[in-house]
Amino acid sequence: MKIAIAADHGGFPLKPTILDAVRAAGHEPLDLGTFTPEAVDYPDYAKKIGDAILAGQAERGILLCGSGVGACIAANKIPGIYAGLAHDTYSAHQGVEHDDMNVLCLGARIIGPEVAKELVAAFVSAKFTAEERHLRRTGKVREMEKGNL
Ligand code: RB5
């Protein structure tokens, strides 16, 4: 699976660990920056991830900022992007299995590299279960997105 990776300057120090963890899990990272420690704006990187997923260049994304919060807020403004901030492995896989989360947001100032590797492994190996109750709930989220609910 192709996984888009993007980070602002807050997430930048963790990005190499995430790229390696994606490769170690047998997937292919698509590095969308940032490529220097210079300050940038996290919504621009949320947009890069969203565009890559919606264009079919990547199936999922991992988005990094300092806390993971700004990145998550911005990513969820993009219709078709279902981002979650998960610093525990249960949420990192359950967010995919139940909620069809397609972007994992991480805070590079909150977690260290070893926890980050475990989170990446949990996220990329998880699959949406498509059970009836989850389809009903994710369907309601999609209706909310369209302004119908
Ligand atoms: C950047 O200083 C920081 O505000 C950003 O990376 C992120 O933590 C926002 O939620």
Side-chain angles (χ1 to χ4, degrees):
M1 180 162 53
K2 245 297 186 36
I3 312 279
I5 314 290
D8 76 351
H9 56 291
F12 178 70
L14 190 63
K15 193 171 61 123
T17 300
I18 302 301
L19 294 168
D20 287 346
V22 166
R23 286 189 202 102
H27 299 281
E28 193 186 341
L30 172 66
D31 186 355
L32 301 175
T34 185
F35 297 104
T36 71
E38 199 182 314
V40 292
D41 299 332
Y42 60 78
D44 298 334
Y45 291 84
K47 178 83 167 73
K48 285 178 196 287
I49 288 241
D51 287 349
I53 292 173
L54 297 177
Q57 292 160 354
E59 214 168 300
R60 293 186 199 167
I62 302 174
L63 183 56
L64 316 170
C65 73
S67 63
V69 174
C72 192
I73 290 171
N76 278 312
K77 295 296 173 195
I78 304 170
I81 297 304
Y82 309 104
L85 172 59
H87 288 154
D88 65 277
T89 52
Y90 177 76
S91 303
H93 67 81
Q94 196 249 26
V96 176
E97 291 158 357
H98 290 197
D99 313 322
D100 208 11
M101 171 172 77
N102 56 7
V103 173
L104 173 67
C105 299
L106 300 176
R109 295 175 187 160
I110 312 299
I111 53 166
E114 296 309 318
V115 171
K117 287 179 202 170
E118 293 191 11
L119 294 168
V120 169
F123 173 63
V124 300
S125 62
K127 289 182 178 53
F128 181 52
T129 64
E131 287 173 80
E132 190 278 330
R133 68 187 192 283
H134 299 315
L135 284 170
R136 183 179 68 247
R137 292 163 189 161
T138 55
K140 286 185 179 181
V141 172
R142 282 152 181 74
E143 288 307 311
M144 290 169 78
E145 206 170 47
K146 293 182 203 148
N148 295 339
L149 229 179

